[in-house]
Amino acid sequence: VKPVSGAGPGGAPLLGGSLGDVGEDALVRAVIGRYRPPPPLLLVPAGDDAAVLDVHGPLVVSTDTLVESADFRRDWSGGHDVGVKLAAQNFADVAAMGARPLALLVSLAAPADLPLGWATALADGLDDETARAGAFVAGGDVSQSPQLVLTATALGVLDGAVVRRSGARPGDVVALAGRTGPSAAGLALLLAAGSPAAAAGLAPSASALVRAHLAPRPGYAAGPDAAGAGATALIDVSDGLLRDAGRVALASGVVLDLEPAALAPPADLVTAAAALGDGEVAVEWVLTGGEDHALLACFPPDAGLPAPFVAVGRVIEARDEPGVLVGGGPWSGPDGWHHFA
Amino acid sequence: VKPVSGAGPGGAPLLGGSLGDVGEDALVRAVIGRYRPPPPLLLVPAGDDAAVLDVHGPLVVSTDTLVESADFRRDWSGGHDVGVKLAAQNFADVAAMGARPLALLVSLAAPADLPLGWATALADGLDDETARAGAFVAGGDVSQSPQLVLTATALGVLDGAVVRRSGARPGDVVALAGRTGPSAAGLALLLAAGSPAAAAGLAPSASALVRAHLAPRPGYAAGPDAAGAGATALIDVSDGLLRDAGRVALASGVVLDLEPAALAPPADLVTAAAALGDGEVAVEWVLTGGEDHALLACFPPDAGLPAPFVAVGRVIEARDEPGVLVGGGPWSGPDGWHHFA
């Protein structure tokens, strides 16, 4: 339903060209043209020095970056996929404070030979996932770079209390909204097969797992819903369940004891692991896989868990030091994703 | 007055290492430790999923990116310089809406072999210029990238009316706060001499011009002051006076006629141009040099110009099409900086 963005400065169609062919101003016009009309609270939209929003009360802000090669591959991900992923990881951080997504700003640093069609597909993906989050794209920036690097900043608003990482107390229920593991499984399938098409043939569940890796679609409402239900701590699981649970444990000065039965890998992960010839890896995907952007929360023992939260453990006292246990004992495998490691 | 940020995970001093030596969490702690204590309106500081700010009323947001090689060179610019420049170009956009700088978010995408000392100097530069702007660093993100790419998002608040690019009317006075040209002159000196030290020897004014290029220090208060004085249009001159004046002309449907006498190059630019053996280039620096982040405003004819605004022209009716004239006629040289050109 979105129009092709018209013609370039010399009347040539834009979508066949590269960024170098069309130049900055035409690129900005083409990209802005992909976004849905903003709501009235965007007082000044993209196109001026800055955007102006009508905000009242506490504002939640977060920024996150995707780097080609490190975070995505253009032979695996279309521009739309990358746009969805960039919006998702930013809004997940906003939801993880208990906030409702409000707006997104996007910086595109791109080589001059990037096809314009890729940049407009990126804008479409950003716009789609931003709309799915109930937010809008408020503005952005383009610049030239040998490396394709995308940074977004998400804004959100709090309707109730902010939920930090530091409020978990012994006796709380540890709960998860959304799944962990599909993105890591999808990546493993892609690495084994070499392409999304080849990966899809590895197992019946493979295609959906690959999609979960390339373009995650987290549930953002779980964040404000957790806040409304009295959550004591909340975090976006972006670097792996064990690693992010460890951050809650450290900030709260407690131990999170995860229940192995609640974290048993579902059938789609088990069959994908079997297809890769390593049945054991499915548990690892669940415990250490990042980028699904599930939300991990702690709730007082008497709080009802709002859907889709599911109990996955208990908060206990830290006798020695804060940390994470699985079934009362330490987990001996890797704990998740480390940048610069 | 800033402490060295302590020791790495294994007790090793951090500053001698690279990002790959210390890892993400230690890097984040080291960088956060460089920032001044935030004011009470930062309800949740960096270290959680997102920062939370107490905002009431219209919020101004803008994002801008610096890419190594394209926008800065590490052999010319220290981390502190790049931090100052990144903060300056972002807050200049906020000021150009008539807003007061409030907060900055920063994304650092860096190679693993980046020296940690460079990253902490970057944080210091960001913090210094952010404090100079009357704002604070609210949070950020680090990720690994073969290319060093820095993106910041600036937030600002409006005490009065927002000033867009589109309000200039025939009869208005065109005025400039800050100078245009020093940054372009500094770059030309650097390109000719090959290094800041060698460039400093080219002319008596060279050292200051090189500093203006590497670490611009614009006056942000001119933005809200212009709004308070009734400015009809306002823009950050980041791509050159002619090009950015052209954006005001286009958005407002008018012609901006600049007065050559008001734009005559001052002595420091004239001597720098002479040292480079091209006396004519000084005028070009003034008309097309970007990155000084002067503010260009239009004021009603009866408005007093707030300091440090100086009249540089008049707004006249667009008989044929909107645009910019110099002394009543067209300018035949280049008009300024184009990305992807």
Side-chain angles (χ1 to χ4, degrees):
Chain A
V1 301
K2 295 197 178 169
V4 172
S5 49
L14 286 178
L15 283 181
S18 69
L19 303 196
D21 295 334
V22 300
E24 178 186 359
D25 287 352
L27 169 64
V28 168
R29 280 196 302 274
V31 165
I32 290 177
R34 314 299 290 188
Y35 299 130
R36 287 169 173 77
L41 62 77
L42 184 64
L43 304 173
V44 176
D48 215 298
D49 292 281
V52 184
L53 288 76
D54 190 9
V55 176
H56 293 281
L59 178 80
V60 176
V61 286
S62 184
T63 191
D64 217 339
T65 292
L66 288 176
V67 179
E68 185 175 11
S69 305
D71 299 311
F72 66 89
R73 290 171 49 160
R74 256 193 281 166
D75 56 339
W76 289 356
S77 298
H80 193 281
D81 293 334
V82 176
V84 167
K85 188 165 188 148
L86 183 62
Q89 69 180 28
N90 274 280
F91 285 128
D93 277 328
V94 161
M97 303 303 287
R100 195 160 40 79
L102 173 72
L104 195 73
L105 286 101
V106 182
S107 170
L108 166 65
D113 66 359
L114 185 78
L116 183 67
W118 199 94
T120 55
L122 173 79
D124 287 348
L126 286 163
D127 192 50
D128 284 349
E129 187 62 11
T130 298
R132 195 179 149 266
F136 60 91
V137 179
D141 173 59
V142 295
S143 50
Q144 191 168 340
S145 164
Q147 179 91 13
L148 181 55
V149 177
L150 310 159
T151 297
T153 300
L155 310 180
V157 287
L158 285 162
D159 296 322
V162 63
V163 188
R164 303 180 61 167
R165 299 175 178 180
S166 50
R169 296 289 167 260
D172 282 357
V173 175
V174 181
L176 198 60
R179 298 174 57 193
T180 63
S183 178
L187 177 59
L189 291 162
L190 281 165
L191 288 168
S195 76
L202 289 182
S205 58
S207 181
L209 296 173
V210 166
R211 295 301 309 150
H213 177 70
L214 298 179
R217 300 278 194 162
Y220 308 106
D225 288 349
T232 56
L234 190 57
I235 193 168
D236 163 40
V237 182
S238 55
D239 291 335
L241 182 55
L242 290 177
R243 189 139 185 254
D244 288 313
R247 289 171 167 148
V248 170
L250 189 66
S252 300
V254 296
V255 165
L256 271 60
D257 187 12
L258 304 180
E259 175 56 52
L263 298 169
D268 59 344
L269 300 186
V270 171
T271 56
L276 294 176
D278 179 5
E280 295 304 300
V281 78
V283 179
E284 211 170 280
W285 288 336
V286 170
L287 290 177
T288 70
E291 302 201 325
D292 293 293
H293 303 294
L295 289 175
L296 183 74
C298 299
F299 292 95
D302 55 348
L305 299 189
F309 278 97
V310 173
V312 296
R314 279 275 170 190
V315 179
I316 59 177
E317 254 181 71
R319 256 156 299 190
D320 297 325
E321 51 181 351
V324 180
L325 302 176
V326 180
W331 168 256
S332 56
D335 69 341
W337 176 255
H338 290 257
H339 287 280
F340 302 111
Chain B
V1 301
K2 295 200 179 168
V4 170
S5 47
L14 285 177
L15 283 179
S18 69
L19 302 197
D21 295 333
V22 300
E24 178 185 0
D25 287 351
L27 169 64
V28 168
R29 280 195 302 274
V31 165
I32 290 176
R34 315 300 289 186
Y35 299 130
R36 286 168 173 77
L41 62 75
L42 184 63
L43 304 175
V44 176
D48 216 299
D49 292 282
V52 183
L53 288 76
D54 189 12
V55 176
H56 292 281
L59 179 80
V60 176
V61 285
S62 183
T63 190
D64 218 339
T65 292
L66 288 177
V67 179
E68 185 176 9
S69 303
D71 298 312
F72 66 90
R73 289 171 51 161
R74 257 193 281 166
D75 57 337
W76 289 357
S77 297
H80 194 281
D81 294 334
V82 175
V84 168
K85 188 164 186 150
L86 182 62
Q89 69 181 28
N90 275 280
F91 286 128
D93 277 328
V94 161
M97 304 303 287
R100 193 161 41 80
L102 173 71
L104 195 73
L105 287 101
V106 183
S107 169
L108 166 65
D113 66 358
L114 185 78
L116 183 67
W118 200 94
T120 54
L122 173 79
D124 288 347
L126 286 163
D127 192 50
D128 285 348
E129 186 62 11
T130 297
R132 197 179 148 264
F136 60 92
V137 179
D141 173 59
V142 296
S143 49
Q144 191 167 342
S145 163
Q147 180 91 13
L148 181 55
V149 177
L150 310 159
T151 297
T153 300
L155 310 179
V157 286
L158 285 162
D159 296 320
V162 62
V163 188
R164 303 182 58 167
R165 301 175 176 178
S166 49
R169 296 291 167 260
D172 282 355
V173 175
V174 181
L176 198 59
R179 297 174 57 192
T180 63
S183 177
L187 176 59
L189 291 162
L190 282 164
L191 289 169
S195 77
L202 290 181
S205 58
S207 183
L209 297 173
V210 165
R211 296 301 310 151
H213 177 70
L214 298 180
R217 301 279 194 161
Y220 309 106
D225 288 349
T232 56
L234 190 57
I235 193 169
D236 163 41
V237 181
S238 55
D239 292 335
L241 183 54
L242 290 176
R243 189 137 184 256
D244 288 312
R247 289 171 166 148
V248 170
L250 189 65
S252 301
V254 296
V255 165
L256 270 59
D257 187 12
L258 304 180
E259 174 57 51
L263 297 168
D268 59 344
L269 300 186
V270 170
T271 57
L276 295 175
D278 179 6
E280 296 304 300
V281 78
V283 180
E284 212 170 278
W285 289 335
V286 171
L287 290 176
T288 70
E291 300 201 327
D292 293 293
H293 303 295
L295 289 174
L296 183 73
C298 299
F299 292 95
D302 55 350
L305 300 189
F309 278 98
V310 173
V312 297
R314 278 275 171 190
V315 179
I316 59 177
E317 255 182 70
R319 255 157 300 195
D320 297 324
E321 51 181 350
V324 179
L325 301 176
V326 180
W331 168 256
S332 56
D335 68 343
W337 177 255
H338 292 255
H339 288 279
F340 303 110

